[in-house]
Amino acid sequence: MRILVSFIAFLLSLQFLSAKTAIDVIPCPASVVVSEGKLSMAGARCKTDSRLGKTAVAAVKDFEENLFRASTVKKGKSGLVVSFEMASEMSDEEYSISVSEKTVVGKASSLKGVLYAIETMKQMLPVAIYTGAPAPKEDWSLPCVEIKDKPRFAYRGLLLDVSRHFFDVEQVKKYMDFMALHKLNTFHWHLTDDQGWRVEIKKYPELTQKGAVRKETIIGRWADKKGFDGTPYGEGMWYSQEQIREVVDYAASKGIEVIPEIDLPGHMLAALATYPELGCTGGPYEVCRWWGVSKDVLCVGKESTMVFLENVLSEICELFPSKYIHIGGDECPKVRWQSCPHCQAKIRELGYRDDINHTAEHYLQSYVTKRIEDFLATKGKSIIGWDEILEGEVAPDATVMSWRGTKGGIAAARLGHDVIMAPNTYCYFNYYQAKDQSKEPLARGGHTPVSKVYSYEPLPDEMTKEEKSHILGVQACMWSEYITDWGTLEYMLFPRLSALSEVQWCEPENKNYQTFIRKMRHMAKIYEALGCNYSTHIIN
Ligand code: ACM
Ligand code: ZN
């Protein structure tokens, strides 16, 4: 008898396991309880509480339309009404899905919750739901299930560098679709750098004429000594303000906020080449043709440079509704400032001296950061800076983005600053995905396989509860020095983006790398339905 009971329990557990595998959703929802039975979605109509807003209503309509086109069963034919209801007690990004043998109910309190509920449903259906391609033979049913879900971190970001290589509006929108697929909510747009200025500034139109174009581009890496390609790059490769607004609106419809970055006071050669008077030596300068860190940076001893920055940032603030403006601050060598009469006069005026930790020039950079912070505060904006802004004296309200590992982020949280973790060791998608680099597209270096991205824990034990409360979230970065085209970008993004999304979304107890790998089989089908290039190292 005991054996029989055990055998039945074993069979039940098998059934449970097989039912559970139906929920191959990435990132893994916080709570999934599968029960017996299923319900076909073919022929369903969808209904949305209008209090969830017009954009949510439109998103549900889109879902309904694709369900109809892909299942090929007319809307309303089955009599099933999939209803998206307002649940004002839920937090902004929270949602639930409840499927019985007769009903499907999604609940949320905001656009984002609705979008996430739809995304989760889509991942539980055949992949044709993504394209609307007819697939009448597929099983359009959902298992009976109760899903309750919300993210671990409020900030779930992804950076795109469009300076080194440019990606057009349609590609940027596609990037946003990939983010939405994984429930990311923040697009960090790296718009300016040494190798090209890519955002229209009406007051300084030459920035996108002269400053967008480099004479040629280095072939491979410095060490390869392959020279330059002799081909100008960047003519017309910039976004008009109208296009910027179009992207910001598109992002908002996907529940994504766009944070622009104007990297200062280093990484400014494109501006210096346009306006040499912004530099310490007066030039001549050229838009950078190689990858690395330029010694030439903005001359911050001159008041006219600060006026330039304020004018640029005023237009940026008008374009982007985000709370934050990213002001860069990384990799700013101090050698020009050391011998510049303007910068040295400013250092004397402010009374800065070298101390055991920092030079007077580090404090000069802190002065710039603080001035920009104060200026942006008058526009209702807060700043984010790379972890170099901790050198000298960190601006009082700055949020720190930790890229040189996690040390900077931990130190900033200890000082009571908010932090976004983007450690290059786990989150730089321009690093190699495979150990054997010979078969990979040329990349920045490093080795960041999917498993390493997945293993990242943003709240290490060494942090106190109070310090952990300052970690707003996690971001990955796609620097484009070696990412020359869209296909390579997709390859570098997938499947690491899928791994990242579980780091950003899931509580540690809901993360499991083996389960993730299994779920990747379905996600790979989604990549394929969307026509995406992806690395197959973990999928094969
Ligand atoms: C950076 O990678 N320089 C932020
Ligand atoms: Zn100077």
Side-chain angles (χ1 to χ4, degrees), residues 222-235:
W222 260 128
D224 301 340
K225 295 194 165 48
K226 288 188 180 157
F228 293 83
D229 65 6
T231 311
Y233 183 93
E235 176 82 44

Side-chain angles (χ1 to χ4, degrees), residues 330-331 386 403 428 479:
D330 58 322
E331 298 177 319
W386 297 108
W403 76 275
Y428 269 30
W479 299 105

Side-chain angles (χ1 to χ4, degrees), residues 422-435:
N424 54 352
T425 39
Y426 294 91
C427 295
Y428 269 30
F429 287 178
N430 53 325
Y431 289 8
Y432 283 100
Q433 300 187 71
K435 227 183 188 132

Side-chain angles (χ1 to χ4, degrees), residues 76-198:
K77 182 147 186 232
S78 71
L80 173 66
V81 178
V82 177
S83 98
F84 290 85
E85 296 177 0
M86 178 69 166
S88 46
E89 72 283 5
M90 283 187 180
S91 55
D92 179 42
E93 299 196 299
E94 190 176 352
Y95 70 92
S96 67
I97 297 170
S98 177
V99 183
S100 72
E101 283 179 328
K102 292 205 171 70
T103 58
V104 183
V105 179
K107 287 187 182 170
S109 67
S110 70
L111 169 66
K112 284 201 258 180
V114 173
L115 294 173
Y116 301 155
I118 294 173
E119 185 50 52
T120 294
M121 281 187 202
K122 283 167 80 172
Q123 290 194 24
M124 289 158 65
L125 290 167
V127 296
I129 189 71
Y130 284 93
T131 57
K137 294 211 170 73
E138 296 280 358
D139 178 0
W140 287 94
S141 61
L142 292 179
C144 293
V145 66
E146 295 290 333
I147 295 176
K148 290 186 178 25
D149 200 12
K150 61 180 179 189
R152 181 182 186 197
F153 291 106
Y155 183 109
R156 303 182 302 283
L158 184 63
L159 172 147
L160 181 62
D161 167 13
V162 294
S163 171
R164 279 57 177 262
H165 286 99
F166 180 75
F167 297 97
D168 67 24
V169 167
E170 287 317 303
Q171 290 167 329
V172 171
K173 286 182 178 172
K174 216 165 166 187
Y175 203 65
M176 229 81 70
D177 293 344
F178 299 155
M179 291 174 65
L181 170 66
H182 293 87
K183 303 187 175 87
L184 273 67
N185 63 4
T186 310
F187 174 51
H188 174 171
W189 207 357
H190 186 80
L191 287 163
T192 66
D193 214 304
D194 296 317
Q195 293 81 5
W197 186 285
R198 310 265 173 243

Side-chain angles (χ1 to χ4, degrees), residues 74-362:
K74 259 215 177 76
K75 277 171 260 186
K77 182 147 186 232
S78 71
L80 173 66
V81 178
V82 177
S83 98
F84 290 85
E85 296 177 0
M86 178 69 166
S88 46
E89 72 283 5
M90 283 187 180
S91 55
D92 179 42
E93 299 196 299
E94 190 176 352
Y95 70 92
S96 67
I97 297 170
S98 177
V99 183
S100 72
E101 283 179 328
K102 292 205 171 70
T103 58
V104 183
V105 179
K107 287 187 182 170
S109 67
S110 70
L111 169 66
K112 284 201 258 180
V114 173
L115 294 173
Y116 301 155
I118 294 173
E119 185 50 52
T120 294
M121 281 187 202
K122 283 167 80 172
Q123 290 194 24
M124 289 158 65
L125 290 167
V127 296
I129 189 71
Y130 284 93
T131 57
K137 294 211 170 73
E138 296 280 358
D139 178 0
W140 287 94
S141 61
L142 292 179
C144 293
V145 66
E146 295 290 333
I147 295 176
K148 290 186 178 25
D149 200 12
K150 61 180 179 189
R152 181 182 186 197
F153 291 106
Y155 183 109
R156 303 182 302 283
L158 184 63
L159 172 147
L160 181 62
D161 167 13
V162 294
S163 171
R164 279 57 177 262
H165 286 99
F166 180 75
F167 297 97
D168 67 24
V169 167
E170 287 317 303
Q171 290 167 329
V172 171
K173 286 182 178 172
K174 216 165 166 187
Y175 203 65
M176 229 81 70
D177 293 344
F178 299 155
M179 291 174 65
L181 170 66
H182 293 87
K183 303 187 175 87
L184 273 67
N185 63 4
T186 310
F187 174 51
H188 174 171
W189 207 357
H190 186 80
L191 287 163
T192 66
D193 214 304
D194 296 317
Q195 293 81 5
W197 186 285
R198 310 265 173 243
V199 53
E200 178 186 26
I201 303 297
K202 302 262 195 209
K203 197 171 179 80
Y204 304 109
E206 298 87 351
L207 282 173
T208 42
Q209 304 302 327
K210 214 169 166 181
V213 187
R214 55 181 180 260
K215 198 166 79 184
E216 56 188 356
T217 304
I218 191 168
I219 301 170
R221 302 205 188 88
W222 260 128
D224 301 340
K225 295 194 165 48
K226 288 188 180 157
F228 293 83
D229 65 6
T231 311
Y233 183 93
E235 176 82 44
M237 291 183 179
W238 49 277
Y239 311 101
S240 68
Q241 294 202 351
E242 198 180 337
Q243 286 176 315
I244 295 276
R245 289 200 175 89
E246 182 184 335
V247 169
V248 167
D249 288 348
Y250 185 82
S253 77
K254 305 267 163 191
I256 295 167
E257 179 165 81
V258 186
I259 296 180
E261 179 182 354
I262 302 296
D263 200 345
L264 66 95
H267 287 284
M268 268 282 172
L269 262 181
L272 292 181
T274 313
Y275 303 112
E277 64 275 19
L278 292 172
C280 291
T281 64
Y285 305 107
E286 60 171 10
V287 179
C288 200
R289 299 178 288 138
W290 43 273
W291 319 127
V293 177
S294 160
K295 290 194 182 87
D296 287 304
V297 301
L298 291 177
C299 176
V300 296
K302 287 184 226 165
E303 199 50 29
S304 52
T305 305
M306 300 309 289
V307 172
F308 167 80
L309 288 175
E310 291 181 0
N311 287 336
V312 167
L313 289 168
S314 293
E315 292 193 32
I316 293 292
C317 288
E318 285 293 310
L319 284 173
F320 293 91
S322 60
K323 169 183 166 191
Y324 295 108
I325 304 290
H326 200 305
I327 55 96
D330 58 322
E331 298 177 319
C332 180
K334 310 293 189 284
V335 310
R336 297 292 185 246
W337 295 355
Q338 281 163 357
S339 54
C340 169
H342 300 284
C343 290
Q344 289 303 313
K346 185 54 95 180
I347 284 173
R348 281 193 301 277
E349 180 196 322
L350 298 168
Y352 295 145
R353 287 172 200 287
D354 295 357
D355 59 30
I356 51 164
N357 296 315
H358 304 294
T359 65
E361 286 74 20
H362 282 113

